[in-house]
Structure formats: structure tokens, C-alpha cells
Amino acid sequence: SAVISQKPSRDICQRGTSLTIQCQVDSQVTMMFWYRQQPGQSLTLIATANQGSEATYESGFVIDKFPISRPNLTFSTLTVSNMSPEDSSIYLCSAFPGDTYGYTFGSGTRLTVV
Amino acid sequence: DAKTTQPPSMDCAEGRAANLPCNHSTISGNEYVYWYRQIHSQGPQYIIHGLKNNETNEMASLIITEDRKSSTLILPHATLRDTAVYYCIVRPGNTGNQFYFGTGTSLTVIP
């Protein structure tokens, strides 16, 4: 199955700043996804990162707050903009490699906003 | 949106079988049942999936009822390393559609 490298693994950021999270897949994948996991909660889908077109956002998430890039079939970034303490979460990327093992996930970025 | 219901938590003695139930009463004919687990806030890990037949791999067995409205994940000999949150997800199989997580079951394996 595909392997995803996600970085940074953790960061502590000042409120009002932005952080860009990167995900690199070791093979070409059609679909990539970004999730947020707030403390003690399940994973919530933020958006689908489409190659060659704008990302598709889930209800409650907007492009101005979470801009996403997908320049090719192996890479995507998620930016958390104008951060507040409420953005403190784990952010995870995922890819669907098209095999029988379903979705592969990165190891996550633990973000703390102070 | 999540279409599954799982108990929030379960305990299992080390070495015994862990049986994790999942209800998916509104499952459609083309939807598979997937199981993932998440250990201590790492990225979720694929365990197993199935459509209507029971499935077994090196990690677990998946038992799906004949009406497909529920399923059970079986870890045959639970170890302390199996302590994790287990998620049951239903979705069309082998496509790149969105993947929605429910609340999952927090399994604690007790020595």
C-alpha cells in the first residue's frame, strides 16, 4: 500500500499566523484528503484535494481558512490560516491508492496555537 | 456523514478474543464495510474490509450478518498493542470517494 510522509509532525504557533502542512505520497494517487482531529474526538473531513482543480470543502470548512494545493499526483499541502487556539488539533492527510487496502493516512501534524 | 453506530468503549483481557460490534442498518448494496484503528493519535491503520462474505486476514476477522445491517470485527488473541480506537466505516468500495469517520470504539486490552 502507499506510504505518506507528512510534515511537520508537530508545531507550536502564535495566534494570527499561518502554518502549511505538507504530504508526500510515494506513488501517484488520484484522491487525497485532509482531516482534522480535535482533542479526544474522531476525525472530521476538511476537504478533498483535487489535482488540477480547486479543493472540495466539507460543510463548515472554507477555502480562506484552509487553502489547499495539489500541484501533482503525489503531493498536497494544507494551510491553516489566521490561527486561533480553537485550531489546535491534529491534522491528517490521506490518500486513496486504488488498491484493495482502502485509504492510507499520514502520521499527522499536532498543532498547538498559543 | 457517518452511517455506523459503535459502542463508545470496550475492555478485553489480554489473550482473549476481542469482538467489536458495528451497526450499519442503512447500508446500501454497493457499500463495503471497512475497519480501521487508530493507536494513540497516530494516523488510522487499515485492518480489513468486506462486502457480504466473512473475511479474514493476518490481523483480524470480519463477520457480516446476512442482512448486512451489522458486522463484528474479531481480534482473535488480543494483545496490549491492540489498545486503540476502532472505527467501522461503510462506503462504496474501491473508489476514491470521501471517507467519513464515526465516533469509534475505544478498546482497552487489560493485562
Side-chain angles (χ1 to χ4, degrees):
Chain A
S1 188
V3 175
I4 299 178
S5 299
Q6 183 173 344
K7 61 182 182 182
S9 59
R10 60 178 62 232
D11 208 341
I12 301 173
C13 300
Q14 297 291 323
R15 67 179 64 199
T17 64
S18 298
L19 175 71
T20 295
I21 302 167
Q22 300 180 5
C23 271
Q24 178 74 51
V25 189
D26 68 348
S27 60
Q28 293 186 342
V29 294
T30 305
M31 309 296 289
M32 292 186 72
F33 306 90
W34 288 95
Y35 290 85
R36 180 177 72 183
Q37 187 170 30
Q38 295 176 303
Q41 303 296 313
S42 181
L43 286 78
T44 301
L45 181 64
I46 297 172
T48 302
N50 304 307
Q51 196 271 329
S53 64
E54 279 196 0
T56 305
Y57 289 84
E58 297 293 311
S59 176
F61 297 96
V62 295
I63 187 171
D64 290 346
K65 177 66 176 178
F66 299 102
I68 289 171
S69 77
R70 180 87 195 274
N72 56 52
L73 291 176
T74 64
F75 186 78
S76 180
T77 68
L78 169 77
T79 299
V80 186
S81 303
N82 188 25
M83 289 184 286
S84 66
E86 291 72 33
D87 294 319
S88 297
S89 294
I90 298 172
Y91 293 85
L92 300 108
C93 65
S94 175
F96 180 73
D99 60 20
T100 59
Y101 294 96
Y103 291 71
T104 300
F105 287 82
S107 55
T109 297
R110 184 181 294 272
L111 171 63
T112 302
V113 184
V114 298
Chain B
D1 293 330
K3 300 168 57 176
T4 63
T5 303
Q6 300 177 252
S9 63
M10 294 181 63
D11 293 337
C12 178
E14 187 178 18
R16 305 296 293 269
N19 297 280
L20 291 87
C22 180
N23 287 322
H24 32 79
S25 58
T26 61
I27 191 170
S28 301
N30 66 338
E31 289 184 316
Y32 286 68
V33 180
Y34 284 82
W35 282 84
Y36 278 72
R37 73 180 182 184
Q38 187 177 28
I39 298 174
H40 193 53
S41 296
Q42 298 176 18
Q45 174 191 23
Y46 168 85
I47 301 173
I48 199 168
H49 76 285
L51 182 61
K52 54 183 178 181
N53 296 323
N54 298 338
E55 302 288 345
T56 296
N57 63 21
E58 64 277 6
M59 290 182 67
S61 294
L62 173 61
I63 308 298
I64 303 174
T65 58
E66 189 170 350
D67 63 7
R68 301 208 323 121
K69 293 184 177 182
S70 65
S71 61
T72 301
L73 177 74
I74 302 173
L75 308 178
H77 306 287
T79 71
L80 299 179
R81 289 177 295 180
D82 292 322
T83 293
V85 178
Y86 288 77
Y87 295 99
C88 168
I89 300 164
V90 296
R91 62 174 302 283
N94 293 352
T95 68
N97 292 339
Q98 287 77 3
F99 211 59
Y100 297 100
F101 285 79
T103 54
T105 296
S106 178
L107 175 69
T108 301
V109 180
I110 302 170

